[in-house]
Amino acid sequence: AQSVTQPDIHITVSEGASLELRCNYSYGATPYLFWYVQSPGQGLQLLLKYFSGDTLVQGIKGFEAEFKRSQSSFNLRKPSVHWSDAAEYFCAVVPSGGYQKVTFGTGTKLQVIP
Amino acid sequence: NAGVTQTPKFRVLKTGQSMTLLCAQDMNHEYMYWYRQDPGMGLRLIHYSVGEGTTAKGEVPDGYNVSRLKKQNFLLGLESAAPSQTSVYFCASTPTGAYGYTFGSGTRLTVV
């Protein structure tokens, strides 16, 4: 069965510092990959997605993610974090070629300190 | 364009009571989903629908029922609420799984 692992439950970074959130997946073929962000009291918002092609994908709010097939990873990055980026981030996987239900990671909570 | 709307936003139930959560989307999406979110457990799929008139079980369906009589609406029912069903419930929709989901803002349910 497919699975998604976000090894960091909680991360603290200083405002202006760079950020990398880790995501590893387990699946036989390359799936569709997503990152979502959830602000407190809100639903999840799609940040970016990878289907195929260029392994570096750009998303909203200045985020990017890099797909590395050899490492089964899809890490989220941002060069300079803003206080408003404090939220919980979820990696998600969908088997390619279908509508199948998404498997979500357990999330990484980001704290931004001044 | 409202996207995905969930009602109610908050609810407190007594054990054994019933209720229905409503999810409405105005994007003509085929697929709709109900998730529950609990601390440290991420999102777990309760039920989903791949089109009007269809429903299917997710990974935690027990104690819940759903209906999708109209394409734009997906209802989640609790027939006899239990404290273990205290959670935040999210509805989501998508034209296909490849496009990512649009989520509602959630329903916070407490069962006492």
Side-chain angles (χ1 to χ4, degrees):
Chain A
Q2 63 194 55
S3 65
V4 180
T5 302
Q6 292 181 247
D8 303 306
I9 297 173
H10 189 272
I11 283 183
T12 300
V13 299
S14 298
E15 191 169 14
S18 63
L19 171 70
E20 183 169 24
L21 302 182
R22 296 183 290 165
C23 173
N24 293 96
Y25 67 90
S26 172
Y27 192 66
T30 299
Y32 301 145
L33 297 158
F34 305 83
W35 274 100
Y36 290 83
V37 59
Q38 184 181 30
S39 298
Q42 300 296 315
L44 280 71
Q45 180 184 18
L46 182 64
L47 279 177
L48 48 77
K49 56 193 175 188
Y50 172 80
F51 295 160
S52 64
D54 193 348
T55 57
L56 185 65
V57 294
Q58 303 296 321
I60 62 172
K61 306 185 180 190
F63 285 91
E64 65 180 26
E66 185 172 12
F67 169 63
K68 293 185 177 180
R69 185 190 309 273
S70 61
Q71 299 177 18
S72 296
S73 69
F74 188 56
N75 293 349
L76 182 71
R77 302 194 296 242
K78 188 169 185 178
S80 178
V81 169
H82 188 262
W83 64 266
S84 61
D85 293 324
E88 192 158 17
Y89 293 80
F90 292 89
C91 182
V93 169
V94 175
S96 59
Y99 57 78
Q100 289 90 338
K101 51 190 179 291
V102 179
T103 299
F104 287 89
T106 52
T108 298
K109 189 164 289 186
L110 174 65
Q111 180 182 9
V112 181
I113 57 177
Chain B
N1 191 342
V4 177
T5 303
Q6 292 183 234
T7 53
K9 295 191 181 302
F10 302 93
R11 185 74 185 269
V12 178
L13 282 180
K14 293 182 179 179
T15 297
Q17 287 185 320
S18 64
M19 77 164 295
T20 300
L21 284 65
L22 172 63
C23 175
Q25 53 96 2
D26 61 0
M27 299 168 286
N28 202 37
H29 286 175
E30 286 293 332
Y31 308 114
M32 297 187 74
Y33 306 82
W34 276 107
Y35 284 89
R36 60 178 290 173
Q37 184 177 35
D38 303 289
M41 303 189 74
L43 284 91
R44 293 182 292 169
L45 182 65
I46 304 171
H47 286 282
Y48 65 101
S49 169
V50 300
E52 181 178 309
T54 75
T55 62
K57 293 181 179 180
E59 60 181 300
V60 289
D62 293 342
Y64 306 95
N65 57 77
V66 288
S67 64
R68 182 115 181 255
L69 299 179
K70 293 183 178 181
K71 186 176 184 178
Q72 63 268 34
N73 296 336
F74 195 30
L75 279 63
L76 178 70
L78 286 74
E79 291 186 347
S80 180
S84 61
Q85 294 178 303
T86 293
S87 187
V88 181
Y89 292 85
F90 287 100
C91 177
S93 71
T94 182
T96 75
Y99 284 85
Y101 289 173
T102 300
F103 280 86
S105 58
T107 296
R108 185 173 295 274
L109 175 66
T110 302
V111 183
V112 297

